[in-house]
Amino acid sequence: MTRAPGLLAPLLGLGLGLGLGLSPPGAGAADCGSLGRAERLAFAPAARVHWLAPRVRPPGALNPLYGTVRRFLSVVQLNPFPAELVKTLLNEPSSVKVDEVVRYEAGYVVCAVIAGLYLLVVPIAGLCFCCCRCRRRCGGRVKTEHKALACERGTLMAFLLLTTLVLLTGVVCAFVTNQHMHEQVDPSVEAVPEILLSLRGLVSDVPQELQAVAQQFSLPQKRVLEDLDGVGMSIGSTIHTRLRSTVYEVLASVSNLGQALQVSVDHLQALNSTLVELRKGQQDLEPAVREHRERLLALLQEPGCQGCTEAQSRAGALELGADFQKVSPVDDVLHRLRGVPEANFSSMVQEENSTFNALPILAALQTASVVKELKKVVAQRPEGLTTLAEEFPGWEAASRWSRALEEVEERSRPYLKEVQRYEKYRWILGCVLCSAVLLVVVCNLLGLNLGIWGLSAREDPSHSEAKGEAGARFLLIGAGFSFLFAAPLILLVFATFLVGGNVQTLVCQSWESKELYKFADTPGNLPPSMNLSQLLGLKKNISILLAYQQCREGAALWSVLQLNDSYDLEEHLNISQYTAKLQQELQNLKVDMKNLDLLSPAAHRDLEALQSSGIEKIHYSSFLVQIQKPVVNTNMEKLAQELEELARTQGSSVLGQQLQEEAQGLRNLYQERVLPQQSLVAELNFTVRALASSAPNLQVETSGVLDKVTYLKGELPTWATSILRNESECFLTREVGYFSQYVAWVREEVTQRIATCQPLSAALDNGRVVLCDMMADPWNAFWFCLAWCTFFLIPSIIFAVKTSKYFHPIWKRLSSTSSEETQLFHIPRVTSLKL
């Protein structure tokens, strides 16, 4: 069967398009991917820049020394914090009992007794030593050499060297801690006004900073206003993206159906014109064929015609085969399709595509007025943010804080200057006494070196005893310096020990263990003028310790201080009414798709005309029956050839001539009449078969396209509205996300940086670090190292005096060459020594 590709191609595309069906774009309707999430906004810090940085002593080489001193002080002071004693001292200093103080300071009393004994014994011993030296009874020389001499001398020198090294280590540590203490005083003193200044701004700076926070509401406002500029285009683009597959599908079906309609009408017109021509040709051909048949029968039936029987039967069958008068006319169908197609489907589909593709611009134009109203709503500021700073109840607390802290600063300034002045004196005295200990160390080392040099030189017969004598003198000079500086050393050690030790045990330990806060919280412990809860303005139900703990965790000022309880930060940050107005205005967004027709009225009439034309009711089978028949039942060419052969075999030249003429007539009739008819039949066959194969489906597809266009025309506004609502909600979610970021940032900024009492706990922590870590620890380490040196001066004196005897010349030596002295120092044996 011959196919009609020109008609089947658009119908195949139409069938595929309609076969996919239409479904609402609900799969992605709840997706906000087209808008995306709210970007992270960068807010400028509004909190005070003069926040106290937490002070922490960096780890260093002196930390083990500090730990050792603290452990030593914890052994010295075993008593707990003397709450009653301190209470009496603060409230009624005159009623303090000495025995209570002595009982608490028992460890320090023991240390004072030890220091007193040292101060008494060592100078007296030094005085006695000087008297003995004047009478040449102390620090003499060895009178007789004996076997154990070398062992005794080596042992004494070893102990003296070890003691000197211990002194050297102590004096180096004393120098380092003395300098470190001196360097820490100025920063520590400067830290006090810094801490007080930070506390003064704790409440007074809050309103200005809250105002700065409220002004940054313009940042999310600006971002939302920028997004509103493109919201119409964005929503239109989303609607276009969600609906384009459906709309393109229907428009493609309409375009294919228009092509199929045009092809069908063209074929129908070709069928009608071909049928008219065939009928006319049949009317002209039938007489000519009949005339030829009659003449041939007459010639072939003559008696003289030889071998004409078979040709006679063929000539008798010479008549028309196909009768196109028997087929149904198509005039009625053509009449119904008159003027079809009225519409240009290709141009119409292109125009509808352009209209649909312009949907983003159309949406932007249609939503312009609503966007303008939305911008007015966004440009407003929530009422709570407007009064965020104005209603903060901090003025009374700020004035009370400022007065109290100014008074503290004024009172502390002279003391701080005195601290710096006395520290300078302490540093100079410490350097002098450390230098004195270093001088003792140098004398010991020089004495040992010269003494050993002198001993090794005794092997030479011509040696001089000057080196040994010089070494002994240096050792005795070192002992003399030790006696001389023992008193000031022990006095400085005990004075610094008494101050630094009590600061560490009485203040620092109790401060670190929070006992100091508990003491201050107990009613009656502090005098009325030192009521810290009142000075700090704490709430009545909050203790100092609780306030410290809450402030360290970042509590807000109004939860700790006595501020107006009516201030509610969350109420000021409530922007629900603001976002509700925004949501209400967003609901007014509308996108009208009435300009998208999908099918013009003319195209609609064309399809309805096709639907009612009855093209599928044409009896194509009757056409095919006649088409299958030959135009003439007899093969005229073969009959003409047979007649020519008969003409050559006839005996009568006249009959042969007549047969020859009839053969030529048949050929002419075949060429002029039959062949054109056969060509028309072939054209009719092509057209009929094309229409017969497409007409039944064409009506179904036409009905389907009309139904889908009608359905889509009704559903497009619903779908567009649904997508619009979803995009509006997504847009609102994203824009509210910017405001939520602002609210979260304000909440964090206000509660953790602006209106937080954390600087109060930071000031207390920094105060403890300044007093205990930066000053008390180096102070205590200094006296500990100096005490170390001071007490090691006693073995240094003893070993120096004992060792100096062995560096003097010996009165009488042994004659044995195997003495330990000779073996150790290789000194040649002599029998007498001239003194």
Side-chain angles (χ1 to χ4, degrees):
M1 179 182 289
T2 306
R3 294 291 180 183
L7 179 61
L8 291 181
L11 288 180
L12 181 61
L14 175 63
L16 290 174
L18 295 177
L20 294 175
L22 295 178
S23 60
D31 182 21
C32 295
S34 58
L35 288 176
R37 296 181 178 179
E39 296 180 2
R40 191 70 180 172
L41 298 178
F43 298 98
R48 60 180 70 87
V49 296
H50 51 270
W51 254 42
L52 279 176
R55 292 182 177 270
V56 179
R57 183 179 63 200
L62 295 176
N63 284 354
L65 178 60
Y66 296 155
T68 302
V69 176
R70 288 188 179 186
R71 287 189 291 272
F72 172 76
L73 288 174
S74 63
V75 173
V76 172
Q77 182 55 277
L78 298 175
N79 296 317
F81 181 75
E84 292 298 326
L85 181 60
V86 176
K87 175 182 176 180
T88 305
L89 182 64
L90 292 175
N91 291 277
E92 299 178 3
S94 59
S95 61
V96 175
K97 297 179 181 180
V98 179
D99 58 339
E100 293 181 359
V101 177
V102 171
R103 190 181 302 112
Y104 173 71
E105 298 283 352
Y108 292 95
V109 171
V110 172
C111 293
V113 171
I114 296 173
L117 291 175
Y118 187 96
L119 183 62
L120 181 64
V121 171
V122 174
I124 293 175
L127 185 60
C128 295
F129 180 75
C130 290
C131 294
C132 290
R133 285 293 298 162
C134 291
R135 298 185 178 185
R136 297 183 179 272
R137 293 185 179 180
C138 296
R141 63 191 68 190
V142 179
K143 296 181 179 180
T144 304
E145 183 177 8
H146 51 84
K147 294 182 178 180
L149 179 65
C151 180
E152 292 177 0
R153 182 173 56 206
T155 303
L156 289 173
M157 286 191 296
F159 278 112
L160 178 59
L161 179 62
L162 180 62
T163 305
T164 304
L165 291 178
V166 171
L167 282 173
L168 180 61
T169 304
V171 77
V172 169
C173 292
F175 267 118
V176 172
T177 52
N178 186 51
Q179 184 63 29
H180 188 64
M181 173 63 196
H182 185 65
E183 292 173 353
Q184 291 294 330
V185 168
D186 287 342
S188 300
V189 170
E190 293 172 359
V192 175
E194 180 185 356
I195 293 172
L196 295 176
L197 179 62
S198 175
L199 291 177
R200 287 175 63 182
L202 181 63
V203 180
S204 60
D205 294 345
V206 171
Q208 294 86 347
E209 292 168 356
L210 290 178
Q211 186 65 33
V213 165
Q215 290 175 354
Q216 294 203 45
F217 185 73
S218 60
L219 191 59
Q221 272 183 323
K222 182 180 178 181
R223 186 55 190 266
V224 173
L225 289 174
E226 291 177 355
D227 290 346
L228 281 173
D229 289 334
V231 65
M233 184 72 73
S234 175
I235 290 176
S237 299
T238 303
I239 295 175
H240 178 270
T241 302
R242 300 275 175 82
L243 296 180
R244 64 185 176 187
S245 59
T246 303
V247 173
Y248 287 166
E249 196 176 287
V250 171
L251 290 178
S253 300
V254 171
S255 178
N256 291 333
L257 185 58
Q259 294 179 22
L261 172 62
Q262 183 66 56
V263 172
S264 297
V265 171
D266 291 344
H267 278 297
L268 192 61
Q269 291 174 350
L271 183 148
N272 185 60
S273 62
T274 304
L275 182 60
V276 170
E277 291 181 15
L278 281 173
R279 285 179 175 178
K280 182 179 179 182
Q282 182 178 336
Q283 291 176 359
D284 295 339
L285 183 59
E286 196 271 334
V289 171
R290 185 174 62 250
E291 182 179 349
H292 275 281
R293 184 180 69 248
E294 291 176 355
R295 284 201 304 269
L296 280 174
L297 289 175
L299 289 174
L300 294 174
Q301 289 176 0
E302 290 184 4
C305 186
Q306 300 177 0
C308 298
T309 305
E310 187 176 352
Q312 185 178 352
S313 60
R314 290 182 181 277
L318 187 61
E319 59 183 8
L320 296 181
D323 185 3
F324 292 100
Q325 298 294 338
K326 296 180 179 180
V327 298
S328 303
V330 294
D331 296 338
D332 292 342
V333 178
L334 281 175
H335 179 72
R336 295 188 187 98
L337 294 176
R338 183 185 302 171
V340 175
E342 179 184 353
N344 188 336
F345 279 80
S346 177
S347 300
M348 180 201 69
V349 169
Q350 186 175 359
E351 182 179 352
E352 295 297 323
N353 269 325
S354 300
T355 302
F356 179 69
N357 291 335
L359 186 58
I361 300 176
L362 178 65
L365 294 175
Q366 291 179 354
T367 58
S369 59
V370 179
V371 169
K372 185 177 181 181
E373 295 299 323
L374 281 169
K375 287 185 176 181
K376 291 181 181 179
V377 174
V378 173
Q380 300 173 358
R381 180 179 290 187
E383 184 178 355
L385 292 178
T386 306
T387 60
L388 180 66
E390 298 174 358
E391 296 185 0
F392 183 76
W395 300 111
E396 182 180 354
S399 60
R400 184 169 62 249
W401 269 77
S402 297
R403 287 194 304 269
L405 292 173
E406 284 178 7
E407 184 178 355
V408 171
E409 186 176 356
E410 289 296 329
R411 290 183 178 179
S412 64
R413 194 168 293 155
Y415 294 104
L416 295 177
K417 291 181 180 179
E418 289 297 316
V419 167
Q420 289 178 305
R421 186 166 67 91
Y422 282 114
E423 165 56 25
K424 184 177 181 181
Y425 297 152
R426 185 209 61 80
W427 176 74
I428 294 174
L429 182 59
C431 289
V432 170
L433 294 179
C434 288
S435 300
V437 176
L438 184 61
L439 184 60
V440 172
V441 171
V442 171
C443 289
N444 287 349
L445 293 177
L446 285 175
L448 283 172
N449 286 327
L450 290 174
I452 294 174
W453 190 9
L455 291 175
S456 62
R458 289 179 181 176
E459 295 180 357
D460 188 0
S462 63
H463 82 283
S464 173
E465 296 289 344
K467 300 183 184 63
E469 288 286 348
R473 289 193 183 97
F474 271 112
L475 292 179
L476 293 176
I477 290 172
F481 280 129
S482 300
F483 285 122
L484 180 63
F485 290 105
L489 278 172
I490 195 64
L491 288 175
L492 179 62
V493 166
F494 183 74
T496 53
F497 160 71
L498 187 62
V499 174
N502 277 289
V503 169
Q504 173 63 35
T505 56
L506 186 61
V507 180
C508 293
Q509 286 184 1
S510 58
W511 197 340
E512 189 172 357
S513 64
K514 308 297 186 299
E515 291 184 21
L516 210 57
Y517 298 117
K518 296 177 183 178
F519 174 79
D521 284 331
T522 305
N525 282 349
L526 297 177
S529 60
M530 295 179 62
N531 191 340
L532 295 180
S533 296
Q534 184 177 0
L535 290 175
L536 296 175
L538 300 180
K539 286 186 174 182
K540 295 181 179 180
N541 59 341
I542 293 182
S543 63
I544 297 176
L545 178 58
L546 182 60
Y548 168 78
Q549 293 173 344
Q550 290 185 356
C551 289
R552 194 167 189 181
E553 294 173 359
L557 284 174
W558 50 84
S559 64
V560 176
L561 302 182
Q562 290 182 7
L563 302 178
N564 190 350
D565 292 336
S566 63
Y567 187 79
D568 186 1
L569 178 63
E570 294 302 323
E571 182 179 349
H572 288 277
L573 296 182
N574 186 3
I575 60 171
S576 58
Q577 294 182 353
Y578 182 80
T579 56
K581 291 181 182 179
L582 189 62
Q583 183 178 11
Q584 184 178 359
E585 290 296 331
L586 277 173
Q587 291 177 354
N588 295 328
L589 288 175
K590 293 181 181 179
V591 176
D592 191 359
M593 300 182 66
K594 62 183 179 181
N595 294 330
L596 185 64
D597 292 327
L598 297 177
L599 202 63
S600 66
H604 201 278
R605 289 194 297 271
D606 288 340
L607 295 182
E608 286 182 342
L610 177 62
Q611 192 175 21
S612 62
S613 65
I615 191 173
E616 80 284 357
K617 297 178 181 179
I618 296 175
H619 296 287
Y620 298 105
S621 60
S622 62
F623 281 92
L624 294 176
V625 169
Q626 298 303 323
I627 288 171
Q628 291 175 357
K629 295 179 181 180
V631 176
V632 180
N633 289 334
T634 301
N635 190 336
M636 296 180 70
E637 286 190 333
K638 188 174 181 180
L639 179 59
Q641 184 178 1
E642 187 176 353
L643 290 176
E644 287 177 348
E645 292 177 357
L646 286 175
R648 287 193 295 270
T649 59
Q650 297 299 321
S652 173
S653 59
V654 176
L655 181 58
Q657 182 64 30
Q658 291 177 342
L659 290 174
Q660 187 70 31
E661 291 176 356
E662 285 298 327
Q664 187 60 38
L666 285 175
R667 282 197 172 91
N668 292 338
L669 180 63
Y670 179 76
Q671 293 292 331
E672 295 174 1
R673 301 285 181 86
V674 176
L675 282 180
Q677 284 291 97
Q678 288 180 348
S679 177
L680 290 174
V681 169
E683 293 178 6
L684 183 64
N685 180 45
F686 175 80
T687 304
V688 168
R689 291 184 182 279
L691 288 173
S693 62
S694 64
N697 295 329
L698 188 61
Q699 293 299 318
V700 176
E701 290 159 353
T702 301
S703 299
V705 168
L706 288 174
D707 292 342
K708 291 180 184 299
V709 168
T710 303
Y711 172 76
L712 188 59
K713 184 72 175 176
E715 291 297 325
L716 274 180
T718 304
W719 294 348
T721 302
S722 175
I723 297 172
L724 173 64
R725 292 288 170 259
N726 178 73
E727 287 300 297
S728 300
E729 292 177 3
C730 292
F731 178 80
L732 179 65
T733 301
R734 186 180 69 175
E735 306 313 310
V736 170
Y738 293 123
F739 295 118
S740 299
Q741 285 186 42
Y742 171 77
V743 170
W745 173 76
V746 171
R747 185 181 293 110
E748 180 181 357
E749 192 76 4
V750 171
T751 58
Q752 297 185 16
R753 296 180 181 85
I754 295 177
T756 176
C757 65
Q758 197 167 15
L760 178 60
S761 62
L764 293 174
D765 290 338
N766 283 1
R768 187 195 62 80
V769 171
V770 168
L771 178 63
C772 300
D773 294 349
M774 297 176 62
M775 296 187 68
D777 278 349
W779 176 285
N780 291 330
F782 168 69
W783 64 251
F784 184 81
C785 295
L786 202 59
W788 174 356
C789 296
T790 301
F791 283 98
F792 268 94
L793 286 177
I794 297 176
S796 174
I797 293 172
I798 296 172
F799 293 132
V801 173
K802 289 285 187 181
T803 306
S804 66
K805 295 180 179 181
Y806 295 92
F807 292 158
H808 287 294
I810 302 175
W811 286 99
K812 185 179 181 179
R813 297 183 179 272
L814 296 175
S815 59
S816 173
T817 59
S818 61
S819 66
E820 295 178 6
E821 178 185 356
T822 304
Q823 292 177 3
L824 179 61
F825 296 104
H826 305 286
I827 300 174
R829 189 176 310 279
V830 294
T831 57
S832 64
L833 180 63
K834 183 178 181 181
L835 298 177

